[in-house]
Amino acid sequence: AADGGALFAERSTFTLRGCELTHNSATNGAAAVLYNSAKSTTGRSTMALSRVAANSGSMSVTAFARLTWECFPGQYAPDGVGEFADNFTGCPFECAAGFVGNTAHETLPTCSAPCPRGNYCPKGSSAGWPCPKGTSFAGRGAADPSLCSPCAPGSYANETGLARCTPCSAGTYTEREYSTGCEGCPAGGYCRAAGAASLALTFMPCRPGTFNEKQGASSADACTACPAGTYGSLAGQKSMTSCESCTPGSFTSQEGRDTCTRCPAATYQNDTGASSCKQCKAGSFCARGSSLELPAACGPGTYANASDVSGVPACFDCEPGHSCAGGAALPTACTPGSHAAARKSLTCELCPAATYQNDTGASWCRLCSAGSFCPHGSSLELPAACDPGTYANAL
């Protein structure tokens, strides 16, 4: 054609919608559309969602009159006159990188708006492309996926299109970039800080005497105390099996102990896992940390009592009124009719004739009253039986 390969318009308006203008040529003017403003009189023409391709000429579309475009999303065309080259569908220009075009009548390279936060927008975008999981972008107008920043250690992005990565909550951590989630704090301790980027710097082991079986703990409250009668000597334990029973001769009366306490002198414990110690019987030997009662070895006239701070029984002199056979035997109170006047008595002596003793544990004998009869070893006074004309005296 001479003046317009496919369409030449003057003194008129036109609307092209959904047309294909291909393989046209013109020797004088545009190969596809020549819109001659000088000879046009009224109205405005429209190019709507049409394809222009493979045309021969210096330009495919030339508009000397005001031309309105309807574009596909992500495109724009200047509102007015101009010349436009070949090969486009819809509108001749794509929205600039970093921007989106979401209407049909965009007239500037910046189109509708900058690319939204958490997204990137290549050239010709009708909507943002979300940053991948494990990345984020806080600003607007990103043109390239390389601008989506990796989540730093201690943070994560488990969704696409996030403006900011989320810090790991207390009880979790991540040491990697590009994380899509955080790992739970290991069993045996807790992780107190949020946003933890290093397990070594945030992990706090449960103290000795406690343990934690679960992951994801954020405070020492998650550490369970070993029961009374047991102890835990190591920090960072993961189960109750780490709590060891107290051995014989020791105990713990409280929970959460890191050692057992040796039984004090004068006490003992022959069981494992004890929460208290047993009192050593009088006459037995119980040193500090004893697991059994040992017999004392005291000389005749003395007796033992486990009262010394070392647990070794002191041998005490037998008190008057008692006899002490020695060894581990306890003092024996003298029976009625006998006495022990001195300390350290091995045996009690019978009261001599003309005396008696009706009490237990006596250190002396009572004189028999006149008119009574008290033979050797008497425990009471007996009445005398005298013939008429005679009288009795305590013999």
Side-chain angles (χ1 to χ4, degrees), residues 32-194:
V33 175
L34 176 60
Y35 186 26
N36 194 337
S37 64
K39 299 177 181 179
S40 180
T41 54
T42 61
R44 176 181 288 198
S45 294
T46 300
M47 286 280 291
L49 309 177
S50 296
R51 179 170 178 260
V52 178
N55 297 289
S56 300
S58 60
M59 289 292 164
S60 290
V61 177
T62 300
F64 296 109
R66 195 170 185 84
L67 179 61
T68 297
W69 297 80
E70 289 186 21
C71 304
F72 288 106
Q75 298 177 332
Y76 78 97
D79 186 14
V81 300
E83 293 183 313
F84 307 98
D86 201 21
N87 296 322
F88 60 86
T89 300
C91 287
F93 304 114
E94 291 183 308
C95 296
F99 295 88
V100 293
N102 51 27
T103 73
H105 301 289
E106 301 296 343
T107 60
L108 297 172
T110 54
C111 292
S112 303
C115 194
R117 292 181 175 88
N119 291 259
Y120 65 94
C121 298
K123 186 178 181 181
S125 294
S126 60
W129 294 77
C131 288
K133 292 181 180 180
T135 68
S136 67
F137 185 69
R140 300 178 58 167
D144 188 86
S146 64
L147 294 175
C148 295
S149 301
C151 292
S155 64
Y156 70 99
N158 60 354
E159 300 177 9
T160 60
L162 294 182
R164 287 181 174 82
C165 297
T166 304
C168 292
S169 60
T172 65
Y173 73 100
T174 178
E175 297 179 337
R176 298 175 288 107
E177 293 184 330
Y178 295 100
S179 291
T180 58
C182 300
E183 300 177 54
C185 194
Y190 55 96
C191 299
R192 200 161 38 195

Side-chain angles (χ1 to χ4, degrees), residues 4-384:
L7 175 64
F8 175 77
E10 66 179 4
R11 298 179 185 175
S12 61
T13 60
F14 66 88
T15 298
L16 292 178
R17 182 176 297 277
C19 297
E20 286 204 11
L21 304 174
T22 62
H23 299 91
N24 299 288
S25 63
T27 58
N28 183 25
V33 175
L34 176 60
Y35 186 26
N36 194 337
S37 64
K39 299 177 181 179
S40 180
T41 54
T42 61
R44 176 181 288 198
S45 294
T46 300
M47 286 280 291
L49 309 177
S50 296
R51 179 170 178 260
V52 178
N55 297 289
S56 300
S58 60
M59 289 292 164
S60 290
V61 177
T62 300
F64 296 109
R66 195 170 185 84
L67 179 61
T68 297
W69 297 80
E70 289 186 21
C71 304
F72 288 106
Q75 298 177 332
Y76 78 97
D79 186 14
V81 300
E83 293 183 313
F84 307 98
D86 201 21
N87 296 322
F88 60 86
T89 300
C91 287
F93 304 114
E94 291 183 308
C95 296
F99 295 88
V100 293
N102 51 27
T103 73
H105 301 289
E106 301 296 343
T107 60
L108 297 172
T110 54
C111 292
S112 303
C115 194
R117 292 181 175 88
N119 291 259
Y120 65 94
C121 298
K123 186 178 181 181
S125 294
S126 60
W129 294 77
C131 288
K133 292 181 180 180
T135 68
S136 67
F137 185 69
R140 300 178 58 167
D144 188 86
S146 64
L147 294 175
C148 295
S149 301
C151 292
S155 64
Y156 70 99
N158 60 354
E159 300 177 9
T160 60
L162 294 182
R164 287 181 174 82
C165 297
T166 304
C168 292
S169 60
T172 65
Y173 73 100
T174 178
E175 297 179 337
R176 298 175 288 107
E177 293 184 330
Y178 295 100
S179 291
T180 58
C182 300
E183 300 177 54
C185 194
Y190 55 96
C191 299
R192 200 161 38 195
S198 168
L199 180 61
L201 294 178
T202 190
F203 181 74
M204 301 291 292
C206 290
R207 64 171 179 80
T210 66
F211 62 93
N212 176 26
E213 297 177 330
K214 298 179 180 179
Q215 293 185 339
S218 59
S219 74
D221 293 340
C223 299
T224 303
C226 289
T230 67
Y231 72 101
S233 59
L234 300 176
Q237 297 304 298
K238 301 176 182 179
S239 72
M240 188 173 176
T241 58
S242 64
C243 300
E244 302 180 55
S245 296
C246 292
T247 57
S250 64
F251 74 103
T252 57
S253 59
Q254 297 176 326
E255 297 179 340
R257 306 301 295 178
D258 58 356
T259 57
C260 294
T261 303
R262 294 171 66 188
C263 287
T267 67
Y268 73 101
Q269 182 53 259
N270 56 343
D271 294 325
T272 59
S275 58
S276 63
C277 294
K278 303 174 183 179
Q279 190 66 39
C280 198
K281 295 184 181 69
S284 296
F285 168 38
C286 297
R288 183 169 179 259
S290 289
S291 60
L292 71 164
E293 294 178 290
L294 299 175
C298 290
T302 64
Y303 69 97
N305 194 5
S307 60
D308 191 88
V309 292
S310 68
V312 178
C315 293
F316 297 95
D317 290 347
C318 204
E319 296 292 330
H322 297 77
S323 64
C324 296
L330 295 176
T332 302
C334 293
T335 58
S338 66
H339 74 290
R343 298 172 66 88
K344 299 183 67 174
S345 294
L346 176 61
T347 60
C348 294
E349 298 180 8
L350 294 177
C351 289
T355 65
Y356 75 97
Q357 183 50 261
N358 59 338
D359 290 331
T360 300
S363 61
W364 56 282
C365 294
R366 306 173 190 269
L367 290 174
C368 198
S369 302
S372 296
F373 171 45
C374 297
H376 184 250
S378 289
S379 61
L380 71 164
E381 294 178 292
L382 300 174

